[in-house]
Amino acid sequence: MADRPFIVGNWKMHGTRAMLSEARAIDRAAQRHMKVEVAIAPPYTLIHPIHREAGQIGVGAQNCHFADEGAHTGDISASMIADAGAKFVILGHSERREGHGETSEIVKAKVEAALKAGLRVILCCGETEATRDAGNAVPYVKDQITASLPKVDKAGDQLTIAYEPIWAIGTGKTATSADIQEMHAEIRSLLVELFGAEEGAGVRILYGGSVKPENAAQILGLPEVGGALVGGASLTADSFMSIALAAESSEA
Ligand code: 13P
């Protein structure tokens, strides 16, 4: 299962119940693309309705708290999103790290809580443009991953990494093929170091940041790119499933 390309839509703070028809369309189309694992992380309010209606795609959340319950007004725990039907959670997204002051230490506690609740985790990492320009992107991202991950027994099944350069998110800019290849190869060797040859090799590494139908085939065809974490282009079934189709073709 972990060898199929993984195409995940991060709907961010987009979507009311009117978007359920789009989720249904994605689910129907996913049934025709079984060589690809398709999933959506909608806002919390849509997790349960999509879980009930969608038979093919996986449903996940975009965040959770590290505590299982308690006096945390406005927060939600991993076990609550699992109860709503989520199978995975995106953690450590740069919009959480930057907009909500989430340190790698906090992210690590969230990863632990999510795994305990039986969720799979998509851990995000990525550098700013200034860090890349200074030539420090690779060590920065490797440090971020190391600091954000607890010990994981079955990393290949439980963990996915999403490399999302911050300057490529929502900007229409994407990293060059050479930069993506270099970063994904470095992340792979780190995963093997952390989890051993077998489990480290089984973790899929997604690319994210302005992935669109027009650039998906090129990005998804690169070595060590195991799928994509898609923001804006995941909001319509048409554009999202064009990306899934590109993933399927890259497997052929
Ligand atoms: P965009 O695809 O809109 O650039 O967003 C990427 C992202 O942040 C996915 O998590």
Side-chain angles (χ1 to χ4, degrees):
M1 178 168 166
D3 53 358
R4 285 192 296 169
F6 194 19
I7 304 297
V8 184
N10 175 6
W11 280 9
K12 306 192 178 184
M13 199 169 71
H14 299 285
T16 59
R17 283 181 297 158
M19 281 282 282
L20 289 175
S21 57
E22 219 60 47
R24 280 192 287 270
I26 290 169
D27 191 58
R28 277 194 305 275
Q31 291 169 24
R32 298 192 297 273
H33 300 292
M34 301 288 283
K35 286 190 202 143
V36 182
E37 185 178 354
V38 178
I40 315 178
Y44 299 124
T45 48
L46 296 182
I47 291 174
H48 193 244
I50 294 178
H51 163 70
R52 282 181 57 152
E53 293 199 24
Q56 182 60 33
I57 58 172
V59 186
Q62 302 166 19
N63 177 41
C64 68
H65 198 275
F66 52 77
D68 198 45
E69 59 180 9
H72 301 288
T73 302
D75 278 312
I76 192 159
S77 72
S79 57
M80 289 169 183
I81 56 179
D83 182 58
K87 296 289 181 283
F88 69 93
V89 58
I90 297 170
L91 292 172
H93 194 284
S94 58
E95 287 155 15
R96 301 287 321 168
R97 291 181 190 263
E98 291 194 329
H100 297 266
E102 285 188 13
T103 60
S104 291
E105 194 183 1
I106 293 173
V107 174
K108 182 177 177 178
K110 292 183 175 203
V111 175
E112 274 168 354
L115 295 174
K116 198 165 141 232
L119 295 168
R120 291 158 69 200
V121 169
I122 299 178
L123 174 75
C124 299
C125 57
E127 80 285 356
T128 61
E129 193 151 33
T131 301
R132 175 153 292 276
D133 289 347
N136 293 331
V138 167
Y140 179 86
V141 166
K142 290 176 88 168
D143 285 352
Q144 201 179 36
I145 295 173
T146 307
S148 302
L149 283 181
K151 194 179 165 310
V152 181
D153 290 337
K154 296 209 159 31
D157 288 335
Q158 294 175 301
L159 202 62
T160 300
I161 303 290
Y163 168 56
E164 301 202 301
I166 295 172
W167 48 271
I169 295 176
T171 58
K173 297 186 201 169
T174 50
T176 63
S177 296
D179 287 344
I180 297 173
Q181 273 196 65
E182 181 196 26
M183 186 63 83
H184 281 231
E186 292 282 353
I187 294 173
R188 175 67 65 212
S189 63
L190 174 64
L191 291 168
V192 167
E193 223 175 272
L194 293 173
F195 301 116
E198 196 176 325
E199 291 299 331
V203 177
R204 283 175 294 191
I205 308 170
L206 315 184
Y207 175 80
S210 298
V211 176
K212 309 276 177 227
E214 304 79 59
N215 60 21
Q218 184 208 335
I219 294 170
L220 291 163
L222 295 171
E224 296 292 8
V225 175
L229 183 55
V230 185
S234 70
L235 294 172
T236 65
D238 270 1
S239 62
F240 188 47
M241 293 314 291
S242 302
I243 294 170
L245 186 65
E248 194 169 57
S249 313
S250 76
E251 284 299 281

